[in-house]
């Protein structure tokens, strides 16, 4: 009889604190979000505690087997000392049950948006919807610096300082040198959010040629009939966007209509993170080096979809921006004790 043995039984019930971020609210309190990974084979419930100079708060957390989830502690008053610590109920592998982090404000995220404003003046409407995300009273606008430029200036702007770059209908007008700059930015860890633009077939072909998005152009869907308008039907599981809307009963992410969009056939390594009822992607993603390229198949204006005026637009854009992991050396890096520096 052949019996399989667990090669490391002590790790079978291991919880680990993976990350922690402090966010200051408009009211002056601080909320700490943290991520927990359950490496075990069963769902587990533990207690998590935040300790800082302004006090301690605790909460219960439950994470399914092999899953990584994000949680938040109740808000606390802003601490005078910025060093803080999170602890969880200890297990047989205690080294990842304690997490020390900086509880002060993070550096502002620099958002750069490019659009063909001179060629397509109405693109200013798309930019308006994007800019409102980062100036909304629903977010801490002091966390972001938003800049916009005409696409003709792309090669002359130092984009390496940007946390996130929006390419709003801009890819159509890219030259080879622009793609080289964009690819370099992505390889180093940049985040790009793009829309196809007025010549979508050309944009998709260029992205495929420069190994930024593996997909094939399948035409454009355009319908004014309410009976044929697709809607979002699925958000890929195990992504931070699926966690964002999990348990949110009043979300309109699955209800707004899509009037017009670019139909894409996604190929690996690209993925469809948000899919519509007709099976085509609403949002595609491809990892490029250390960075991420996000392609929405609509434009950010109501002629294509109600998405920019929904309650889902702001949290999706903010979540993608907050997950940006640009590794520019001029920025303060978050380091863990024992992390190897190369």
């Amino acid at each position: 009889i052949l019996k399989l043995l667990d090669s490391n039984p002590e790790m079978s019930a291991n919880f680990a604190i993976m990350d922690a971020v402090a966010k200051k609210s408009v009211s002056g309190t601080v909320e700490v979000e943290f991520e927990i990974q359950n490496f075990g084979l069963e769902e587990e419930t533990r207690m998590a505690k935040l300790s800082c100079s302004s006090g301690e708060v605790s909460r219960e957390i439950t994470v399914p087997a092999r899953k990584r989830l994000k949680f938040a502690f109740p808000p606390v008053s802003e601490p005078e000392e910025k060093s803080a610590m999170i602890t969880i109920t200890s297990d047989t592998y205690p080294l990842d049950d304690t997490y020390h982090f900086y509880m002060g404000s993070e550096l502002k995220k620099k958002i750069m948006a490019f659009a063909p404003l001179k060629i397509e003046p109405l693109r200013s409407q798309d930019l308006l919807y994007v800019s409102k995300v980062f100036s909304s009273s629903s977010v801490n606008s002091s966390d972001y610096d938003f800049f916009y430029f005409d696409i003709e200036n792309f090669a002359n702007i130092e984009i390496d300082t940007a946390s996130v770059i929006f390419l709003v209908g801009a890819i159509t007008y890219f030259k080879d040198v622009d793609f080289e700059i964009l690819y370099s930015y992505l390889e180093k860890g940049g985040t790009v959010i793009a829309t196809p633009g007025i010549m979508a077939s050309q944009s998709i072909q260029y992205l495929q040629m420069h190994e930024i998005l593996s997909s094939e152009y399948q035409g454009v869907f355009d319908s004014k009939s309410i009976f044929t308008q697709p809607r979002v039907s699925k958000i890929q599981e195990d992504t931070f966007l699926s966690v964002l809307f999990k348990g949110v009963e009043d979300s309109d992410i699955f209800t707004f209509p899509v009037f017009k969009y670019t139909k894409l056939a996604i190929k690996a390594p690209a993925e469809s993170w948000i899919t519509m009822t007709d099976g085509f992607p609403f949002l595609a993603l491809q990892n490029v080096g250390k960075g991420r390229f996000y392609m929405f198949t609509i434009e950010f204006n109501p002629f294509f979809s109600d998405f920019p005026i929904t309650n889902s637009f702001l949290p999706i854009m903010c979540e993608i921006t907050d997950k940006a992991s640009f590794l520019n050396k001029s920025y303060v890096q978050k380091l863990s004790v024992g992390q190897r520096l190369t």
Side-chain angles (χ1 to χ4, degrees):
I1 298 176
L2 180 63
K3 183 178 181 180
L4 298 177
L5 300 177
D6 191 337
S7 61
N8 193 355
E10 291 186 353
M11 289 291 290
S12 61
N14 180 39
F15 260 38
I17 308 171
M18 306 300 291
D19 192 18
V21 177
K23 297 183 178 180
K24 187 176 179 180
S25 68
V26 177
S27 63
T29 59
V30 178
E31 184 181 84
V32 173
E33 295 181 349
F34 61 106
E35 292 190 46
I36 299 292
Q37 173 80 47
N38 181 0
F39 290 99
L41 302 177
E42 297 180 358
E43 179 177 282
E44 297 238 6
T45 299
R46 306 277 180 94
M47 289 300 298
K49 181 172 71 173
L50 167 66
S51 302
C52 61
S53 63
S54 59
E56 294 183 350
V57 289
S58 299
R59 63 159 295 170
E60 191 175 77
I61 55 173
T62 300
V63 184
R66 302 295 186 184
K67 297 293 184 181
R68 177 170 173 166
L69 297 182
K70 182 166 68 175
F71 301 92
F73 286 108
V76 297
S77 57
E78 186 174 8
E80 293 184 8
E81 296 191 15
K82 304 305 180 184
S83 60
M85 178 177 69
I86 296 175
T87 54
I88 57 176
T89 309
S90 188
D91 50 41
T92 53
Y93 191 78
L95 295 179
D96 53 17
D97 296 337
T98 301
Y99 192 93
H100 296 266
F101 69 103
Y102 177 69
M103 205 165 163
S105 299
E106 293 187 332
L107 289 174
K108 282 189 174 184
K109 293 181 173 66
K110 183 184 288 188
I111 316 298
M112 291 186 181
F114 294 86
L117 296 173
K118 291 182 180 180
I119 302 173
E120 302 177 41
L122 291 179
R123 284 290 175 185
S124 59
Q125 182 182 19
D126 302 52
L127 286 182
L128 180 61
Y129 286 114
V130 176
S131 65
K132 281 185 174 181
V133 168
F134 303 106
S135 61
S136 168
S137 59
S138 300
V139 302
N140 191 348
S141 57
S142 62
D143 289 344
Y144 308 100
D145 278 332
F146 183 83
F147 305 89
Y148 68 91
F149 309 91
D150 190 273
I151 189 56
E152 69 178 14
N153 297 315
F154 185 77
N156 301 320
I157 302 296
E158 183 59 49
I159 66 170
D160 280 0
T161 61
S163 299
V164 174
I165 291 175
F166 282 84
L167 298 177
V168 183
I171 296 173
T172 295
Y173 303 97
F174 262 32
K175 305 177 182 67
D176 285 341
V177 65
D178 298 325
F179 281 109
E180 291 172 8
I181 294 170
L182 182 66
Y183 190 88
S184 175
Y185 170 80
L186 286 163
E187 266 202 321
K188 290 182 285 187
T191 296
V192 176
I193 301 172
T195 64
I198 195 169
M199 290 182 279
S201 61
Q202 182 172 299
S203 299
I204 301 307
Q205 182 182 5
Y206 286 168
L207 291 169
Q208 170 82 6
M209 287 170 53
H210 290 87
E211 300 180 344
I212 294 175
L213 183 69
S214 296
S215 65
E216 292 183 356
Y217 176 76
Q218 301 286 298
V220 173
F221 173 90
D222 191 354
S223 174
K224 300 300 181 185
S225 170
I226 61 173
F227 300 105
T228 59
Q229 292 163 357
R231 286 165 169 74
V232 169
S233 65
K234 178 183 177 183
I235 302 176
Q236 184 171 310
E237 294 184 5
D238 299 328
T239 66
F240 60 80
L241 291 182
S242 67
V243 175
L244 182 65
F245 292 102
K246 186 177 182 179
V248 183
E249 297 180 358
D250 59 348
S251 171
D252 54 9
I253 185 65
F254 299 108
T255 60
F256 64 83
V258 178
F259 315 124
K260 185 176 181 179
Y261 72 92
T262 299
K263 298 161 71 174
L264 296 182
I266 297 297
K267 301 183 294 183
E271 304 173 68
S272 178
W273 268 31
I274 301 180
T275 306
M276 290 185 285
T277 49
D278 58 5
F280 286 101
F282 180 79
L283 172 63
L285 163 81
Q286 182 163 323
N287 294 321
V288 181
K290 296 178 180 178
R292 283 182 166 180
F293 182 85
Y294 297 87
M295 170 62 83
F296 283 91
T297 56
I298 61 164
E299 304 299 322
F300 295 148
N301 67 66
F303 294 105
F304 282 75
S305 169
D306 285 345
F307 180 51
I309 58 175
T310 65
N311 294 326
S312 303
F313 186 69
L314 184 148
I316 287 178
M317 294 303 166
C318 284
E319 194 72 7
I320 293 175
T321 300
D322 290 342
K323 290 292 183 183
S325 57
F326 189 57
L327 303 178
N328 189 310
K329 292 183 180 178
S330 65
Y331 278 57
V332 175
Q333 298 296 301
K334 177 168 32 177
L335 304 174
S336 300
V337 174
Q339 180 176 339
R340 187 178 183 86
L341 301 179
T342 55

